Coordinates of all heavy atoms in Angstrom, one line a residue:
Q1260 N -11.9 -6.2 10.7 CA -11.7 -4.7 10.7 C -10.8 -4.3 9.5 O -10.0 -5.2 9.0 CB -11.2 -4.2 12.0 CG -9.7 -4.6 12.3 CD -9.5 -5.9 12.8 OE1 -10.4 -6.8 12.7 NE2 -8.4 -6.2 13.5
V1261 N -10.8 -3.1 9.2 CA -10.0 -2.6 8.1 C -8.5 -2.6 8.5 O -8.1 -2.2 9.6 CB -10.4 -1.1 7.7 CG1 -9.4 -0.5 6.8 CG2 -11.8 -1.1 7.1
Q1262 N -7.7 -3.1 7.6 CA -6.2 -3.1 7.8 C -5.6 -2.6 6.5 O -5.9 -3.1 5.4 CB -5.7 -4.5 8.1 CG -5.7 -4.8 9.6 CD -4.7 -6.0 9.9 OE1 -4.8 -7.0 9.3 NE2 -3.9 -5.7 10.9
L1263 N -4.7 -1.7 6.7 CA -3.9 -1.2 5.6 C -2.4 -1.3 5.9 O -2.0 -0.8 7.0 CB -4.2 0.3 5.3 CG -5.7 0.5 4.9 CD1 -6.0 2.0 5.1 CD2 -6.0 0.1 3.5
V1264 N -1.6 -2.1 5.2 CA -0.3 -2.4 5.5 C 0.6 -1.9 4.3 O 0.6 -2.5 3.3 CB 0.0 -3.9 5.8 CG1 1.4 -4.1 6.1 CG2 -0.9 -4.3 6.9
E1265 N 1.4 -0.8 4.6 CA 2.3 -0.3 3.6 C 3.7 -0.9 3.7 O 4.1 -1.2 4.8 CB 2.4 1.2 3.7 CG 1.0 2.0 3.6 CD 0.3 2.2 4.9 OE1 0.7 1.6 5.9 OE2 -0.7 3.0 5.0
S1266 N 4.3 -1.0 2.6 CA 5.7 -1.6 2.6 C 6.4 -1.1 1.3 O 5.8 -0.5 0.4 CB 5.7 -3.1 2.6 OG 5.0 -3.6 1.4
G1267 N 7.7 -1.3 1.3 CA 8.5 -1.0 0.1 C 9.3 0.3 0.2 O 10.1 0.6 -0.7
G1268 N 9.2 1.0 1.3 CA 10.0 2.2 1.5 C 11.5 1.9 1.7 O 11.9 0.7 1.8
G1269 N 12.3 2.9 1.8 CA 13.7 2.7 2.0 C 14.5 4.0 1.7 O 13.9 5.1 1.6
L1270 N 15.8 3.8 1.7 CA 16.7 4.9 1.5 C 17.2 4.8 0.0 O 17.7 3.7 -0.4 CB 17.9 4.9 2.4 CG 19.1 5.9 2.2 CD1 18.6 7.3 2.3 CD2 20.2 5.6 3.2
V1271 N 17.1 5.9 -0.7 CA 17.5 5.8 -2.1 C 18.1 7.2 -2.5 O 17.8 8.2 -1.9 CB 16.3 5.5 -3.0 CG1 15.3 6.6 -2.9 CG2 16.7 5.3 -4.5
Q1272 N 19.1 7.2 -3.4 CA 19.7 8.4 -3.9 C 18.7 9.1 -4.8 O 17.9 8.5 -5.5 CB 21.0 8.1 -4.6 CG 22.1 7.7 -3.7 CD 23.5 7.6 -4.4 OE1 23.5 7.4 -5.6 NE2 24.5 7.9 -3.6
A1273 N 18.9 10.4 -4.9 CA 18.1 11.2 -5.8 C 18.3 10.7 -7.3 O 19.4 10.3 -7.7 CB 18.6 12.7 -5.8
G1274 N 17.1 10.6 -7.9 CA 17.1 10.0 -9.3 C 16.8 8.5 -9.3 O 16.5 8.0 -10.4
G1275 N 16.8 7.9 -8.1 CA 16.4 6.5 -8.0 C 15.0 6.2 -8.0 O 14.1 7.1 -8.2
S1276 N 14.6 5.0 -7.8 CA 13.2 4.5 -7.9 C 12.9 3.6 -6.7 O 13.8 3.0 -6.1 CB 13.0 3.7 -9.2 OG 13.2 4.5 -10.3
L1277 N 11.7 3.6 -6.3 CA 11.1 2.7 -5.3 C 9.7 2.3 -5.7 O 9.0 3.1 -6.4 CB 11.1 3.4 -3.9 CG 12.3 3.5 -3.2 CD1 12.1 4.3 -1.9 CD2 12.9 2.1 -2.8
R1278 N 9.3 1.1 -5.3 CA 7.9 0.7 -5.5 C 7.2 0.4 -4.2 O 7.7 -0.5 -3.5 CB 7.8 -0.5 -6.4 CG 6.4 -0.9 -6.9 CD 6.4 -2.3 -7.5 NE 5.1 -2.5 -8.2 CZ 4.6 -3.7 -8.3 NH1 5.2 -4.8 -7.8 NH2 3.5 -3.9 -9.0
L1279 N 6.2 1.2 -3.9 CA 5.5 1.0 -2.6 C 4.3 0.1 -2.9 O 3.7 0.1 -3.9 CB 5.0 2.3 -2.0 CG 6.1 3.4 -1.8 CD1 5.4 4.6 -1.2 CD2 7.3 2.9 -1.0
S1280 N 4.0 -0.7 -1.8 CA 2.8 -1.6 -1.9 C 1.9 -1.3 -0.7 O 2.4 -0.9 0.4 CB 3.2 -3.1 -1.9 OG 4.0 -3.4 -3.0
C1281 N 0.7 -1.5 -0.8 CA -0.3 -1.4 0.3 C -1.3 -2.5 0.2 O -2.1 -2.6 -0.8 CB -1.0 0.0 0.2 SG -2.5 0.1 1.3
A1282 N -1.2 -3.4 1.1 CA -2.1 -4.6 1.2 C -3.3 -4.2 2.1 O -3.1 -3.8 3.2 CB -1.3 -5.8 1.8
A1283 N -4.4 -4.4 1.5 CA -5.7 -4.0 2.2 C -6.5 -5.2 2.5 O -6.5 -6.2 1.8 CB -6.5 -3.0 1.3
S1284 N -7.2 -5.1 3.6 CA -8.1 -6.2 4.0 C -9.2 -5.6 4.9 O -9.1 -4.4 5.4 CB -7.4 -7.3 4.8 OG -6.8 -6.8 6.0
G1285 N -10.3 -6.3 5.1 CA -11.4 -5.9 5.9 C -12.5 -5.1 5.2 O -13.5 -4.6 5.9
F1286 N -12.4 -4.9 3.9 CA -13.4 -4.3 3.1 C -13.3 -4.8 1.7 O -12.3 -5.4 1.3 CB -13.2 -2.7 3.2 CG -12.0 -2.2 2.6 CD1 -11.9 -1.6 1.4 CD2 -10.8 -2.2 3.4 CE1 -10.7 -1.1 0.8 CE2 -9.6 -1.7 2.8 CZ -9.6 -1.2 1.6
T1287 N -14.4 -4.4 0.9 CA -14.4 -4.9 -0.5 C -13.5 -4.0 -1.3 O -14.0 -2.9 -1.8 CB -15.8 -4.9 -1.0 OG1 -16.6 -5.7 -0.1 CG2 -15.9 -5.6 -2.4
F1288 N -12.3 -4.3 -1.5 CA -11.2 -3.5 -2.1 C -11.7 -3.0 -3.5 O -11.5 -1.8 -3.8 CB -10.0 -4.3 -2.2 CG -8.8 -3.6 -2.8 CD1 -8.0 -2.7 -2.0 CD2 -8.4 -3.8 -4.1 CE1 -6.9 -2.0 -2.5 CE2 -7.3 -3.1 -4.6 CZ -6.6 -2.2 -3.9
S1289 N -12.2 -3.8 -4.3 CA -12.5 -3.5 -5.7 C -13.6 -2.4 -5.8 O -13.8 -1.8 -6.8 CB -12.9 -4.7 -6.5 OG -14.1 -5.3 -5.9
M1290 N -14.3 -2.2 -4.7 CA -15.4 -1.2 -4.7 C -15.0 0.2 -4.2 O -15.8 1.1 -4.1 CB -16.5 -1.7 -3.8 CG -17.1 -3.0 -4.2 SD -18.1 -2.9 -5.7 CE -19.5 -2.1 -5.1
Y1291 N -13.7 0.4 -3.9 CA -13.2 1.7 -3.4 C -12.1 2.2 -4.3 O -11.2 1.5 -4.7 CB -12.6 1.5 -2.0 CG -13.7 1.3 -0.9 CD1 -14.3 0.1 -0.7 CD2 -14.1 2.4 -0.1 CE1 -15.3 0.0 0.3 CE2 -15.0 2.3 0.9 CZ -15.6 1.0 1.0 OH -16.6 0.9 2.0
A1292 N -12.1 3.5 -4.5 CA -11.0 4.2 -5.0 C -9.9 4.2 -3.8 O -10.2 4.1 -2.7 CB -11.3 5.7 -5.3

């Protein structure tokens, strides 16, 4: 089945940076926007 797992969030001060990730499974990822 389709699974979408987001990670990378957190607490940051204004002006800072974060990088979010989303690991997908259960479908042909390369065929989807």
